[in-house]
Structures are given as structure tokens and as C-alpha cells.
Amino acid sequence: MGRLFGTDGVRGVAGRDLTAELAMDLSVAAAHVLGDAGAFTAGIGRSGSSPNRPIAVVGRDPRASGEFLEAAVVAGLASSGMDVLRLGVLPTPAVAYLTTALGADMGVMLSASHNPAPDNGIKFLDRDGYKLPDAVENEIEQRLGEKWDRPVGGAVGRVRDAYGEADRYVSHVLSTVSGRLDGLNVVVDCAHGAAHIVAPEALMRAGAKVETIGARPDGLNINAGVGSTHLDKLQQVVISRGADVGIAYDGDADRCLAVAHTGEVIDGDQIMAVLAMDMHAEGKLAGNTVVATVMSNLGFKLALRNAGIDVIETAVGDRYVLEAMRESGYNLGGEQSGHVLMLDHSTTGDGLLTSLHLLSAVVREGRPLAELASVMTRLPQVLVNVKGVDRAKASVPELGEAVAAAERELGETGRVLIRPSGTEPMIRVMVEAASAEQAQRLADRLADVVRTACV
């Protein structure tokens, strides 16, 4: 069996790949790894826990499968001797925040993010609200199915509902912004997901006039034609209602994208650029640096460079962005997809937090979002996935020579990125250029070289 944990927890089709049995076994193993580390440290009455017993908090998105998976996870944790607080349907960043705010030893989030409803996933968080490093995930896998002494009687964990703690999270994100959003008309697309209650509530409490779409989850419609991966409907509603801004979250609301009043999509790079400029002007940008991935648009990097802000690049994946930020003490980073990390306020990407800060910048500047986002110009970007090739040959001389020739033609007006897939026999060719025609021409040329040289 291959490694269970992927780049963001354990995912699969619920009931087939991710079964109730696996969910329970994973939770038992996680309790032994993460719970043991905090065992016998819980103070009397801490978050309602019994004395000397570790605590876990569990949240989920609205997927139908989350109901049985939650039951399995709670059963595994409680049978291992952990007290469990059921948070109900909440965003991933809310679970991360409440893990620390409630003094828990670990957190569990059940979600498959932007994936369709049949999928689901289990994500474990440490007591500080951070995703687990590979070494800890490996230890959890290694302890799957091990023999253990099962608690009995008063030693078993107790379970209680803590649905009211959602307000603690809303109050937290609101406390991170100064000023109000009075007079701002916002359309919010909740993807029929985990933010369908807390996001509209937070924005209304901040003073915005809010209209929602994708806010009626039925367990099966999460991400279905709505949310940050399907922006068409949000664009239409923003334009038809004459709204100032549209905000779209994904299924677990750990990321967001925006739509300007013109219907223009504002991606994660543009959101980070606006936030970076705002934080820089306020003297709040740590190290005068933003952390982004190699896939961020060159226009983003050029705009920040022109503003005197440094950009550090990492591999693709928010975990690598987070790692670089924590290592060097930076407080802003993220991805083009809308995962934005603001470590002064959150341990994970947080779509609601990001949107509040973005909208606050709009109000503070007194300018439309489209104008603020124009601080960067997105260069045309073409991505070609060349399948059926040997990804280990991405560094062959013939391809290196072709890349060098393309880079000479582009000069400082574009760039080339060749990325072997981490999971498939595929090499990704990405080209950015001053024009879409040039980007497509060079990408096609390089893809042809990959097809002949990487077999």
C-alpha cells in the first residue's frame, strides 16, 4: 500500500477509498501519536475536559459522507481516551483556530476542499493549529492497526457538542481588521460549503450589505457549479446586482477568490499584491517580504519588486509556503489559487480572514477593487501538460537547451517553468510572455521537445 497521506491529509471517495473503518483506525493512531504527547497535561475544567485527559476538536464541511465519517472519527478518538468537542460544520481555518483557542491537543477536519461531493478527506492538526509535518503523518500510518490497551470505564473519552464555538471564530477574524465595511455591497459565494453561515454573518457584522449564493448546502451540492472553482455565476450576479465586490470560497473555505464590480476575476496573486501593498504601507509586512510559489504570475513578482517588496519562491503547495514563512518569520504568503496565509492571525489559509482584509483595503483606500488589483498586470500564462512521458527525464540536455533558447527570446518579459508531476507520468510546461501568442508558441515548442526527448 502506498502512503495514505497526500499533500493535504488523507483523501478519497468516501465509502470506497475513505471508509468508516479507515477513519476510525486513523483517528485511533492519531490519538496515540498526538494525544499521548499531550496526555496528562489537561487542567481541570479546560474546555470541559475531564482532568488529565487530552482533548480533540472535530469539524467538518456539509458533505453527506461527513456525517458517518465524523461518527467514526469521534468513536476512534473517544475510545482511545480523548475527550472530543464536536464543532459541527465549520471552515478548516475555524477548526485550526479553535484547536488552540480551546486548548485542545489536536484538531480534525473532515473535508475534500474544492473536490466534488462524493470525495472526502481527513486532515489532522497539531495543538498549535498547524498541519502535520510528513514525519508525524508517517508515524500515524505506522501505528495503524497496532495493538493497544483500550481504556474502560471512566478512562474512556467523553463527547460533547460545541457548535456555539463558531461565534468565537467569527469574533476572532473580525478582531483582526480595523474599521468597518459600511456602504460596501458584497455578493458572497459559499460553494454550498463550510462557510455558508459564518462568512455572511461575519461580513454583515462588519457592516457590509451581503447577498449570498451557494449558501444552501444539502450534503450533495458542495462545489457544484459554485465556489472559487466556478466563478461564472458569481460574475453574473455581481454585474446584474451592481455590487461592489464578489467573494468566492471553496468547500472548506481555506481559500478565496474575488470578482470586481466589472466582473473581472481577481486571483490569489492579485489578492496577495493588494494585501502586500496595504501591509507595506502600514508597516506591518514582516521582513518586507511575501512568500509565493513558483507558479505565481511573473506580473505579481514584477509589481512587488517595483514597490520595493521582496518575493521568496517555494515549490507548489501551501505547506511549502507555510514552511518558508515559519522558518524566516514572514507573515504573508500564498498561492495563485487563493490560498493566502496571514500568520499574524491564522495558522492556515483562511478565506474569510483574507476576504475581510481585502475588503478593508478597498474601504480604506476608497477605490474599487479592480483599481487596487491593477497594481499588477498578469502576464499571459500557458500551461501544457505533456502526458505519457518519463518525468525523471525533465533535466535531459535537449530540453535544457530548448528552455535556454526560449528564455533568451523572452528576456525579462517572461519566463519558463518545467515541472515533473509528483504523481503521474507527466511533465508540465509553463510559459509566461508579454503576449498570449508568444506564450502559446513557446509552450507548444517546448512540449514537442518533451515528447521526443523524455520518453
Side-chain angles (χ1 to χ4, degrees):
M1 181 178 68
R3 188 174 189 268
L4 281 174
F5 285 90
T7 56
D8 203 17
V10 178
R11 287 192 187 180
V13 176
R16 186 177 69 195
D17 307 315
L18 183 55
T19 62
E21 294 84 354
L22 177 58
M24 183 179 292
D25 290 346
L26 279 168
S27 298
V28 169
H32 292 161
V33 173
L34 299 172
D36 284 354
F40 309 115
T41 64
I44 294 176
R46 187 182 74 164
S47 300
S49 173
S50 301
N52 303 324
R53 200 148 56 207
I55 311 165
V57 297
V58 179
R60 64 181 180 87
D61 71 22
R63 292 166 209 266
S65 61
E67 297 168 3
F68 80 76
L69 289 173
E70 177 190 60
V73 167
V74 170
L77 296 171
S79 69
S80 302
M82 295 193 80
D83 285 344
V84 182
L85 302 178
R86 282 191 299 217
L87 301 175
V89 174
L90 275 181
T92 291
V95 176
Y97 169 73
L98 291 170
T99 299
T100 57
L102 298 176
D105 295 275
M106 63 178 285
V108 187
M109 179 64 187
L110 300 168
S111 177
S113 188
H114 59 279
N115 286 20
D119 294 346
N120 215 323
I122 301 179
K123 186 185 308 181
F124 296 106
L125 304 163
D126 68 18
R127 62 174 55 193
D128 295 318
Y130 289 105
K131 296 177 183 179
L132 304 182
D134 289 347
V136 177
E137 290 179 341
N138 289 339
E139 186 178 357
I140 291 172
E141 282 200 32
Q142 290 166 5
R143 298 185 70 167
L144 277 173
E146 71 176 359
K147 293 183 178 180
W148 52 292
D149 294 327
R150 299 172 182 269
V152 296
V156 300
R158 304 300 298 271
V159 180
R160 72 180 179 90
D161 295 331
Y163 303 145
E165 296 297 345
D167 186 67
R168 188 191 297 254
Y169 165 69
V170 171
S171 296
H172 163 66
V173 293
L174 287 172
S175 73
T176 68
V177 291
S178 59
R180 292 180 55 77
L181 305 180
D182 296 321
L184 204 63
N185 294 320
V186 183
V187 180
V188 181
D189 183 346
C190 299
H192 296 309
H196 74 284
I197 293 176
V198 294
E201 178 185 346
L203 292 168
M204 286 188 285
R205 281 171 55 177
K209 180 181 178 181
V210 177
E211 178 174 348
T212 60
I213 60 175
R216 295 183 178 181
D218 61 11
L220 302 175
N221 61 356
I222 188 168
N223 301 314
V226 289
S228 61
T229 53
H230 304 280
L231 294 172
D232 292 355
K233 185 174 181 180
L234 179 60
Q235 290 173 290
Q236 293 168 6
V237 176
V238 167
I239 293 172
S240 66
R241 299 292 193 273
D244 297 306
V245 183
I247 297 292
Y249 306 108
D250 62 338
D252 68 336
D254 65 350
R255 62 176 168 169
C256 78
L257 294 178
V259 171
H261 73 284
T262 59
E264 173 193 356
V265 172
I266 308 299
D267 68 14
D269 286 340
Q270 292 169 294
I271 291 172
M272 282 195 293
V274 172
L275 295 179
M277 301 290 186
D278 190 58
M279 293 170 66
H280 178 60
E282 296 282 319
K284 296 179 180 178
L285 186 62
N288 200 37
T289 298
V290 177
V291 180
T293 76
V294 293
M295 289 302 291
S296 276
N297 194 277
L298 179 59
F300 166 77
K301 298 160 192 172
L302 294 176
L304 265 59
R305 181 194 304 169
N306 291 337
I309 299 172
D310 295 327
V311 177
I312 289 178
E313 292 185 347
T314 73
V316 175
D318 62 319
R319 66 162 49 203
Y320 302 112
V321 174
L322 176 62
E323 182 181 296
M325 292 174 69
R326 294 184 71 186
E327 184 177 313
S328 301
Y330 301 128
N331 60 354
L332 180 63
E335 298 184 282
Q336 193 178 69
S337 62
H339 278 113
V340 177
L341 291 152
M342 305 183 74
L343 292 192
D344 288 341
H345 313 299
S346 179
T347 57
T348 69
D350 187 330
L352 177 54
L353 177 76
T354 300
S355 61
L356 281 167
H357 282 261
L358 180 67
L359 296 174
S360 293
V362 170
V363 172
R364 189 161 46 249
E365 291 289 330
R367 293 187 287 159
L369 177 58
E371 185 177 334
L372 290 184
S374 68
V375 70
M376 69 161 278
T377 300
R378 281 184 292 192
L379 295 182
Q381 186 180 81
V382 172
L383 178 65
V384 179
N385 293 321
V386 186
K387 300 180 180 181
V389 295
D390 186 350
R391 63 191 183 200
K393 293 185 177 181
S395 58
V396 296
E398 299 95 318
L399 183 55
E401 292 169 4
V403 168
E407 290 176 335
R408 285 194 297 271
E409 178 179 333
L410 290 168
E412 293 188 358
T413 64
R415 66 179 181 131
V416 175
L417 180 64
I418 306 295
R419 289 180 56 235
S421 168
T423 57
E424 303 175 68
M426 178 168 65
I427 294 176
R428 307 182 195 278
V429 176
M430 191 275 284
V431 176
E432 288 173 340
S435 71
E437 181 279 329
Q438 184 184 33
Q440 188 69 60
R441 174 170 53 80
L442 292 176
D444 289 341
R445 181 192 301 171
L446 291 169
D448 287 340
V449 176
V450 169
R451 292 185 185 97
T452 56
C454 303
V455 292

